[in-house]
Amino acid sequence: MTLLIEPIDAIARRKQRDVLKVSFQPQAQELREAARQRVIDFLTAHGVAWQACGDVADEGVMASYAGQIYIDLPYEPQNPRCREILDFFEHPDGSMKDPAVGLWLLRLASAMRNAHHDEPGFWDRWAERF
């Protein structure tokens, strides 16, 4: 079965909002997978939907999937549910609790810079020129 992993910027454009992405440091695979599983277990236990995602699409770079996760929850730090997620990842000063894990906010305005990627056939034409 082929799994299409959507870039985080495409998700932001589809959702029409800022989005949260979790990344994992390129350390030993078993450590990265353990950190990823802790995140997945937390999200699942708290009823937060998530999906695999890629980094922001870049026409000049082809990268393999490195375990990134999109958290399907609007970024609203004053919302108790969002605050619970942020508190899982971050210390009060904003530093990460687990140095193997990164939590990123992608603003919709930044994601819109790649809106041309959503045009029908864009990636097929790109692949032909690659």
Side-chain angles (χ1 to χ4, degrees):
M1 178 174 112
T2 301
L3 175 65
L4 180 61
I5 297 177
E6 194 174 15
I8 191 67
D9 57 311
I11 294 171
R13 290 189 303 276
R14 181 169 45 80
K15 295 283 186 171
Q16 285 296 293
R17 62 176 165 81
D18 300 343
V19 292
L20 292 169
K21 179 190 82 167
V22 183
S23 65
F24 302 92
Q25 296 299 319
Q27 54 200 4
Q29 183 174 351
E30 65 185 43
L31 294 175
R32 185 176 64 239
E33 285 301 314
R36 186 174 186 276
Q37 192 58 55
R38 282 191 301 276
V39 169
I40 290 169
D41 291 346
F42 174 83
L43 295 173
T44 301
H46 289 83
V48 177
W50 63 273
Q51 71 181 59
C53 71
D55 288 328
V56 171
D58 183 336
E59 297 166 44
V61 175
M62 189 178 286
S64 59
Y65 177 64
Q68 304 95 316
I69 294 172
Y70 156 67
I71 298 175
D72 192 8
L73 186 72
Y75 178 71
E76 299 168 347
Q78 70 284 5
N79 179 304
R81 189 167 165 137
C82 183
R83 184 80 260 153
E84 182 179 35
I85 299 302
L86 297 175
D87 290 345
F88 170 76
F89 288 100
E90 300 174 338
H91 293 291
D93 68 0
S95 63
M96 296 303 295
K97 289 181 177 177
D98 184 341
V101 178
L103 180 65
W104 306 92
L105 172 65
L106 177 63
R107 297 283 185 186
L108 177 59
S110 294
M112 292 307 293
R113 293 181 194 141
N114 281 342
H116 62 284
H117 291 174
D118 300 335
E119 296 170 7
F122 174 85
W123 288 109
D124 292 331
R125 290 187 302 278
W126 174 87
E128 289 170 2
R129 293 186 310 267
F130 189 70

